[in-house]
Amino acid sequence: MSRMDVPSTPDVPSESSKDAGQSAVWPLIVLLIAHGLSLVGNAVTVIVVPLYVLQLTDSVAATGVAGAFATVPMIIGGAVGGVLVDRFGFRRAAVLADLASGLTVLAIPLLALTVGLPFGVLLLLVFLSGLLDTPGRTAKEALVPDFASDAGVQLTRAAAASSAISRSAMLAGAALASVLLVSIGALNSLFIDAITFFVSAVFIGIILPRASSSSAADVGIMPAGVWAEFVEGVRFAARTPIIRSVVLLVVVTNLIDAAGFLVLFPVYARTVTPDGSLLGLIMGSFAAGALTGALAFAKFGHRLPKKALLVGGFLIAGPVPYLAMLAHCAPPLLLAAMMIAGLAAGSINPLLSATLYEVVPRALRARVLGALTTGVTAGMPLGSLLAGSTVELWGLVPVLLGAALFYAIVALSPLFGTSWSGLTQA
């Protein structure tokens, strides 16, 4: 009997359909929780390691070098990570990445508290810790559309939820790092940090079920060559105008962000609080604002003009923190400025992610996302090195001013050129 033949009755969902809907959403929730846990670990690492390097060496330039060693692996991981994720499968790649991050982070305090940790060995561990981090994050992000589809969740809402989890994780990681720095110190904080990666691996490897869609490796289709597939991802990105524009914009803003988060913010925090605990509050305030912004985007983002939202987000999120530090704002005002900047930044990632999810075919998703990661992170090591060396030469104030002005100029770029028209069509 067709649906039209059924006597007219109210459309009330049955208990079984409600249960089915809840069970379909649960895997997406598990994935997002696991993703959040690993990002909490990343947030703790980003806060604790620069402060530990400053404490160990008392050198801003050395902190910049450590930041470069933390970001170069993101470029390498982006270059081959997407292809490796396709080969290993999204789930296996995510688990391996979390285990590797946990082990390398754990090695830092273990060596420092036993046989000793020379600066060169610390740099090596920082490098290794980040090498599989980018492929792991790519794998988790590549799983989101599949589980969202199984759950019947709109892609825009799933992207916003993923971004909200990222922001929440940054907030939780910053708060955790602040508490740990004050209570048990930088080195001991890394023991707790390692645990977050191990728990994330358990969630994805054991608790998370399979999605109805699978990666090439999951269905037994092994691609031909790593380099050929990476090139395929690059070519797709290069011939898609909106992706080209996104990469060019984000590579520059990431360069400035790396200078800020890895060098300028830690150095400023050390000038205000000797133990650098203000850095956790700075990061946490930004993350709290970003979480609010991501949730607001999930609710209202589809109704707002994308280009205006993107430009406004970058204009506020980028320059405001540097201007607040230049003004030597009292800590409450500085944290309020960071929260406002985070609020503006909250819509940027879900907006761009939703656009990319719609533009990139599933068969190319991991390798294109990996190629994009290579592109957008290419300037980050340079940003960290430049920040460390220029602060040593000229002092903190001129570098903060330059970062604010450069960010403001770059943020206006989506207003020019036809390639950004794809943002409104996606």
Side-chain angles (χ1 to χ4, degrees):
M1 193 186 318
S2 69
R3 178 64 182 85
M4 295 301 295
D5 294 327
V6 176
S8 179
T9 56
D11 244 350
V12 180
S14 66
E15 289 300 320
S16 61
S17 65
K18 290 179 182 177
D19 292 342
Q22 291 173 353
S23 62
V25 173
W26 175 243
L28 178 61
I29 295 173
V30 171
L31 171 63
L32 293 177
I33 291 173
H35 192 29
L37 283 169
S38 66
L39 291 175
V40 166
N42 287 337
V44 173
T45 305
V46 165
I47 293 171
V48 171
V49 169
L51 292 175
Y52 176 66
V53 173
L54 274 173
Q55 175 187 330
L56 183 69
T57 65
D58 199 29
S59 167
V60 179
T63 306
V65 172
F69 271 77
T71 50
V72 166
M74 297 172 65
I75 302 173
I76 300 172
V80 299
V83 177
L84 293 177
V85 167
D86 276 337
R87 286 175 173 267
F88 281 99
F90 299 161
R91 289 163 56 95
R92 284 190 290 272
V95 171
L96 287 173
D98 282 337
L99 290 176
S101 294
L103 290 172
T104 49
V105 167
L106 183 61
I108 294 175
L110 283 178
L111 290 175
L113 296 172
T114 54
V115 298
L117 183 63
F119 185 57
V121 176
L122 173 62
L123 292 180
L124 176 62
L125 290 173
V126 168
F127 180 89
L128 293 175
S129 178
L131 195 59
L132 288 181
D133 185 59
T134 298
R137 186 165 185 167
T138 298
K140 296 183 188 81
E141 290 174 352
L143 281 167
V144 168
D146 293 341
F147 284 104
S149 176
D150 287 352
V153 176
Q154 272 186 338
L155 202 52
T156 302
R157 291 186 181 276
S162 180
S163 181
I165 289 293
S166 298
R167 302 303 188 180
S168 300
M170 184 177 175
L171 174 58
L176 180 61
S178 296
V179 172
L180 294 175
L181 283 167
V182 173
S183 59
I184 62 176
L187 274 180
N188 290 325
S189 301
L190 294 174
F191 284 111
I192 309 298
D193 186 8
I195 292 173
T196 62
F197 292 111
F198 295 139
V199 175
S200 174
V202 169
F203 265 69
I204 294 178
I206 298 175
I207 300 175
L208 186 69
R210 292 190 181 277
S212 59
S213 299
S214 302
S215 70
D218 292 330
V219 295
I221 303 173
M222 296 304 291
V226 171
W227 177 249
E229 291 168 40
F230 173 68
V231 170
E232 185 179 8
V234 171
R235 284 176 177 166
F236 181 88
R239 67 173 179 259
T240 308
I242 183 61
I243 296 182
R244 288 201 311 269
S245 299
V246 167
V247 170
L248 290 174
L249 172 63
V250 178
V251 70
V252 179
T253 56
N254 273 355
L255 183 152
I256 306 172
D257 287 337
F261 283 95
L262 297 174
V263 179
L264 302 181
F265 292 179
V267 170
Y268 183 84
R270 280 285 300 270
T271 65
V272 179
T273 52
D275 61 0
S277 57
L278 179 64
L279 179 60
L281 296 176
I282 288 173
M283 299 286 205
S285 298
F286 184 90
L291 171 60
T292 305
L295 294 174
F297 179 84
K299 182 75 173 177
F300 307 109
H302 61 285
R303 304 176 187 173
L304 301 174
K306 292 183 178 180
K307 188 180 292 187
L309 195 61
L310 185 68
V311 172
F314 273 120
L315 273 176
I316 298 172
V320 165
Y322 303 109
L323 294 175
M325 287 186 283
L326 273 172
H328 296 290
C329 292
L333 289 178
L334 173 63
L335 298 181
M338 294 300 301
M339 190 170 291
I340 291 170
L343 183 67
S347 62
I348 294 174
N349 282 350
L351 190 159
L352 295 178
S353 294
T355 300
L356 294 175
Y357 285 154
E358 292 171 352
V359 170
V360 180
R362 189 193 185 282
L364 296 175
R365 190 187 300 153
R367 68 197 72 173
V368 171
L369 291 178
L372 292 181
T373 300
T374 302
V376 300
T377 57
M380 293 177 70
L382 179 61
S384 181
L385 289 172
L386 283 176
S389 58
T390 53
V391 169
E392 289 274 11
L393 288 173
W394 301 329
L396 185 60
V397 171
V399 181
L400 290 174
L401 179 60
L405 292 176
F406 194 30
Y407 215 123
I409 293 170
V410 173
L412 296 173
S413 62
L415 298 178
F416 305 95
T418 58
S419 60
W420 283 100
S421 61
L423 186 67
T424 58
Q425 297 168 1

